[in-house]
Amino acid sequence: MLTSLALIFLVGLAMASICQKVRLPRIIGMLLTGIVLGPYVLDLLDPSILGISGELRRMALIIILIKAGLSLDIADLKRVGRPALMMSCVPASFEVFAYWLLAPMILGINRQEAALLGSVMSAVSPAVVVPRMVYLIENKYGTKKSIPQMILAGASLDDVFVIVLFSTFLGIAAGGTADLTAFLNIPISIVLGILLGGVTGAALAAFFEWRHKCGSYIRNSMKVIIMLGVAFILMAAEGWLEDYVAVSGLLAVTSMACALKMRSIKEVASRLSQKFGKLWLAAEVTLFVLVGAAVDIRYTLEAGPGALIMIFCGLCIRSVGVWLCMIGTDLNIKERIFCIIAYLPKATVQAAIGSVPLTMGLPCGNLVLSVAVLGILTTAPLGAFGMEMTHRSFLEHNADV
């Protein structure tokens, strides 16, 4: 395991540095490292690491979500409430519709299988999008119009919506019926996630303040450990409560950090954000290398050119949905195009659920996994590269904000 961790960190950082030198996003180097070191190419990673890969990726995602919450301003979120809410469901719905409409003609599958494939492919990757939006917020790109805040919030909600769609279409494809009551879980999951995280964050802030008044000040490093422990519980609570009520763990973690920031002294929140930024240096490598390791490169050969055509048709129709979400906002054309680019990457959700239909023995399982793998390999670098190359010229730099 130690050798595998050494390879993940050293090779991942080296490849990220090489990509940075040639003006490519660092994430591309990390993803390629995972693919090459993973079980489907060189097979150099210990099975024990791969066995807990999902948990390690969740831990890394929690770190960047906490940092995102500490970087968000509630006033900014209120300003972008409607577009952010639309971004959580409209682009994904458009992409599912694209697959339902076109996949039977392009890939030769039936409508039910096409809808299932669309639900797998319609999720934007928070692992790719959230770190970039945090960077934009901290460096004041597009913050005057709250563009990164809107994208960050929409991307976090998007996963909740898509996973419900996936569960519904999976049941239909497996010979069941659509559980329409599952769609009620979407607003319930969002509201309860925000409430749970908000109450937890306020309680944490009160606890830290009480300890400070008692003369037993808690160091910021210790606060980071406490926040991580609480965030892990919030994510686990999603699984504990799923048989009773839907709760979004991702939103709970982000809103916990938001509430803590609101209740804390500005300087304290800033220092905590810096601490989590340092943790993210290691978590980022772990997250993207392990996402790459989950990609079975062999399935790209089976996907064929039709899959690539379908992926880009889906992205085009998805982009129309993103554009519609911007109607009524004061964003200019360049800023709207940036929002479209930011909503292209697919990685973590596809890596997590792409193999489920195959595991269940569905006839379309092999094709779904093949398209999911190809989607990760094409859209994650495309979106990351697009955001890297356009944010300076497409977004206003607000140094005074």
Side-chain angles (χ1 to χ4, degrees):
M1 181 181 286
L2 292 177
T3 304
S4 297
L5 286 173
L7 288 172
I8 288 171
F9 289 130
L10 298 178
V11 180
L13 286 173
M15 287 295 291
S17 180
I18 290 170
C19 286
Q20 195 171 29
K21 291 286 185 184
V22 296
R23 298 184 62 78
L24 290 174
R26 290 166 56 84
I27 178 184
I28 295 177
M30 297 175 197
L31 286 171
L32 289 175
T33 298
I35 292 170
V36 173
L37 295 180
Y40 308 110
V41 183
L42 296 182
D43 194 19
L44 295 179
L45 298 181
D46 194 297
S48 58
I49 286 283
L50 298 174
I52 59 171
S53 171
E55 287 74 17
L56 291 174
R57 295 200 305 265
R58 279 162 66 92
M59 289 169 63
L61 193 55
I62 285 170
I63 290 171
I64 195 58
L65 285 171
I66 293 175
K67 182 164 174 57
L70 291 170
S71 302
L72 281 173
D73 190 317
I74 298 299
D76 291 334
L77 284 179
K78 289 179 180 177
R79 276 205 305 273
V80 296
R82 181 193 60 81
L85 192 60
M86 291 182 67
M87 291 274 277
S88 70
C89 57
V90 173
S93 299
F94 270 60
E95 190 163 9
V96 171
F97 174 74
Y99 277 83
W100 178 84
L101 182 67
L102 301 175
M105 294 179 284
I106 297 174
L107 300 176
I109 56 179
N110 62 42
R111 298 287 182 191
Q112 291 180 348
E113 294 169 338
L116 177 62
L117 176 58
S119 66
V120 171
M121 296 302 297
S122 60
V124 68
S125 172
V128 180
V129 175
V130 172
R132 176 52 51 181
M133 294 308 110
V134 172
Y135 169 84
L136 295 180
I137 292 170
E138 292 182 339
N139 291 275
K140 312 299 183 185
Y141 282 98
T143 49
K144 187 175 182 180
K145 296 182 181 178
S146 304
I147 295 170
Q149 293 92 329
M150 175 185 65
I151 295 171
L152 193 156
S156 299
L157 296 171
D158 171 271
D159 282 0
V160 177
F161 177 71
V162 167
I163 288 171
V164 171
L165 286 182
F166 172 72
S167 301
T168 302
F169 291 132
L170 185 66
I172 295 173
T177 57
D179 184 8
L180 296 180
T181 59
F183 286 94
L184 293 175
N185 285 332
I186 296 175
I188 294 172
S189 175
I190 292 169
V191 172
L192 290 183
I194 293 172
L195 286 176
L196 178 61
V199 170
T200 305
L204 269 180
F207 172 69
F208 293 153
E209 186 179 354
W210 172 72
R211 286 292 300 268
H212 183 67
K213 288 180 179 178
C214 291
S216 52
Y217 177 75
I218 301 176
R219 296 178 58 185
N220 288 325
S221 299
M222 188 62 67
K223 288 178 181 176
V224 167
I225 296 172
I226 294 172
M227 288 174 67
L228 277 175
V230 173
F232 293 160
I233 291 174
L234 289 176
M235 286 293 285
E238 181 178 345
W240 298 340
L241 298 172
E242 64 181 353
D243 292 335
Y244 309 101
V245 67
V247 179
S248 170
L250 293 177
L251 289 179
V253 170
T254 307
S255 61
M256 177 199 74
C258 278
L260 185 66
K261 177 186 177 181
M262 289 175 61
R263 298 275 183 167
S264 301
I265 300 170
K266 185 177 181 181
E267 290 75 14
V268 173
S270 177
R271 287 197 294 270
L272 287 173
S273 181
Q274 290 172 7
K275 293 280 187 183
F276 277 101
K278 292 174 182 177
L279 278 179
W280 175 243
L281 294 175
E284 178 185 34
V285 183
T286 305
L287 174 62
F288 291 118
V289 171
L290 290 177
V291 167
V295 173
D296 191 342
I297 194 76
R298 297 171 300 178
Y299 284 103
T300 58
L301 301 177
E302 299 180 19
L308 196 60
I309 293 170
M310 186 63 247
I311 289 169
F312 283 97
C313 286
L315 291 179
C316 290
I317 296 178
R318 177 189 186 85
S319 299
V320 175
V322 175
W323 190 275
L324 289 176
C325 295
M326 301 299 108
I327 293 175
T329 66
D330 59 350
L331 273 60
N332 60 40
I333 292 178
K334 285 186 176 181
E335 291 164 340
R336 296 181 188 210
I337 292 174
F338 178 83
C339 293
I340 290 173
I341 294 170
Y343 252 54
L344 296 180
K346 304 174 187 304
T348 38
V349 176
Q350 287 71 28
I353 66 176
S355 62
V356 173
L358 181 62
T359 304
M360 292 182 62
L362 297 181
C364 63
N366 207 358
L367 176 66
V368 171
L369 182 56
S370 301
V371 177
V373 170
L374 191 60
I376 294 170
L377 294 176
T378 52
T379 64
L382 179 65
F385 183 77
M387 287 186 282
E388 178 70 24
M389 292 296 103
T390 60
H391 75 269
R392 290 182 179 84
S393 56
F394 282 26
L395 301 180
E396 183 181 352
H397 188 214
N398 316 116
D400 299 331
V401 177

